[in-house]
Amino acid sequence: MSTLLDQTRQLQVPKPAQQAIWQHIDDLACEALYDELSLENKPGLVCPSSNGSHTDMTHQTFIDSITSLKGYFATLSQFGYEDRPFDDIKNQGVFQEEKMRQATHSINTHKGAIFNLGFVCAAIGRCIQVEIPLTAKNICAQLVEHWQVDLNTRLARDPSSHGQIMFKQYGITGAIEMVANGFEVIQDQILPCFYETIYRTQDFEKSSMQTLMLLISVLSDTNIVWRGGIDSLRNAQRLAMQFLQAGGVYQSDWRQQVNEISQYFIQHNLSPGGSADLFAVTIFLYKVENEFNYPI
């Protein structure tokens, strides 16, 4: 789907303002994580009024986690701009994960965000360095051009990790492949869905839920498979797709329908954590596109 970004130029920012740019990117990344957390009634996920399917984490756990991430995204943006080695980016992510776990008492709240959003920020830094507009297409192209090979060949796969177990059992790929391929599903389906819904409804909550439900319907979410098996994934995808096919958030009773899906997820102990991670990436890309570009 074409967006207004097809008809925009990048806002030129003086070189001395680079630190302010990195900080602004950091703020937008944290805002995107807050937006994901704040969306009420997400199926199986933590939100302000519910812990979803989780017994080990709360809304406050996520707040503490996001607070611990502040500054990390600025650093990764600068690393990308400076074309720092792949190992520098990887090691910074490892350090940040340790910092997150200290803040959350060893609970894994944002490991996916550290990885996904970290590399997106590095790609933004590359775009700024080569002076190309900060569009999702350009940012994701930088991911593929600069880090695809390293991501696919130089990251050790822990055979005991959820992702590797899911790959061996079901052939489901995870976050590494998603980033290495430039978030194709976000570019092709998810971000266009958000733009279309926000254009039609002018409602951030509706646009967010429509986008999250689309992610659940199309993503082979390893978190769901880990908790409930492949049949649970198919059932979760079916419920999300049925909601969308019935009209999604354009229905008058959409909140009631989402609540019913949420109850199903909680009853079956399902949590679409992978979908939540990609939702945050989608919102971040939307914010960056609209903050750093202006109409011709």
Side-chain angles (χ1 to χ4, degrees):
M1 174 186 169
S2 175
T3 73
L4 292 177
L5 268 298
D6 296 327
Q7 303 172 5
T8 61
R9 286 197 300 262
Q10 186 179 6
L11 178 61
Q12 298 299 311
V13 183
K15 297 283 186 180
Q18 284 174 11
Q19 290 302 320
I21 297 174
W22 310 147
Q23 184 57 55
H24 190 39
I25 292 168
D26 194 89
D27 291 342
L28 293 178
C30 290
E31 281 179 18
L33 293 175
Y34 279 121
D35 287 338
E36 186 279 321
L37 174 62
S38 300
L39 181 61
E40 284 284 10
N41 217 15
K42 300 185 298 291
L45 296 165
V46 175
C47 65
S49 64
S50 171
N51 295 341
S53 300
H54 297 273
T55 58
D56 60 341
M57 57 183 72
T58 66
H59 182 259
Q60 186 59 50
T61 310
F62 276 83
I63 293 293
D64 294 341
S65 180
I66 296 171
T67 301
S68 77
L69 298 181
K70 291 181 178 179
Y72 167 69
F73 302 112
T75 299
L76 267 289
S77 300
Q78 186 171 354
F79 276 16
Y81 182 84
E82 295 172 351
D83 201 16
R84 296 278 283 270
F86 177 78
D87 284 345
D88 286 3
I89 298 174
K90 180 186 72 173
N91 292 337
Q92 191 67 28
V94 171
F95 171 77
Q96 184 58 51
E97 185 180 341
E98 294 174 352
K99 186 178 176 183
M100 173 202 73
R101 290 184 183 276
Q102 289 175 3
T104 63
H105 305 288
S106 297
I107 296 172
N108 173 22
T109 43
H110 285 115
K111 182 176 181 178
I114 290 170
F115 182 69
N116 293 330
L117 289 178
F119 270 98
V120 171
C121 287
I124 289 171
R126 291 303 311 148
C127 288
I128 294 174
Q129 172 60 251
V130 298
E131 298 182 345
I132 57 177
L134 294 182
T135 63
K137 179 179 179 180
N138 288 341
I139 294 166
C140 292
Q142 291 296 311
L143 283 173
V144 174
E145 179 180 345
H146 285 276
W147 297 295
Q148 184 178 69
V149 173
D150 285 328
L151 286 166
N152 285 329
T153 62
R154 297 186 58 204
L155 284 182
R157 266 66 165 180
D158 180 0
S160 64
S161 70
H162 293 182
Q164 285 305 295
I165 293 173
M166 295 303 95
F167 179 72
K168 290 176 182 177
Q169 290 185 346
Y170 306 110
I172 297 173
T173 56
I176 294 174
E177 292 77 16
M178 183 68 67
V179 176
N181 292 329
F183 296 104
E184 289 179 340
V185 69
I186 291 180
Q187 290 192 73
D188 295 343
Q189 298 182 60
I190 309 306
L191 189 57
C193 170
F194 186 87
Y195 267 107
E196 178 182 9
T197 313
I198 201 79
Y199 176 77
R200 291 178 61 183
T201 67
Q202 300 296 303
D203 188 305
F204 192 85
E205 180 194 11
K206 287 182 178 180
S207 303
S208 296
M209 186 59 73
Q210 186 84 346
T211 300
L212 178 62
M213 295 300 272
L214 179 59
L215 271 164
I216 294 172
S217 76
V218 301
L219 188 67
S220 295
D221 196 312
T222 56
N223 292 60
I224 294 178
V225 180
W226 177 259
R227 283 170 168 259
I230 199 71
D231 288 340
S232 290
L233 172 65
R234 302 302 176 223
N235 288 335
Q237 291 176 323
R238 175 180 53 79
L239 288 172
M241 183 56 68
Q242 287 176 345
F243 170 76
L244 295 170
Q245 290 175 340
V249 297
Y250 300 102
Q251 303 168 89
S252 59
D253 64 341
W254 70 270
R255 285 189 177 85
Q256 178 182 339
Q257 293 191 38
V258 169
N259 183 64
E260 291 173 359
I261 296 172
S262 298
Q263 292 307 310
Y264 176 90
F265 274 58
I266 292 171
Q267 289 167 9
H268 293 80
N269 194 36
L270 305 179
S271 176
S275 299
D277 287 342
L278 294 190
F279 171 65
V281 173
T282 303
I283 297 303
F284 179 53
L285 289 171
Y286 169 78
K287 288 176 180 289
V288 169
E289 283 195 335
N290 285 275
E291 287 281 332
F292 285 91
N293 296 273
Y294 66 96
I296 294 174

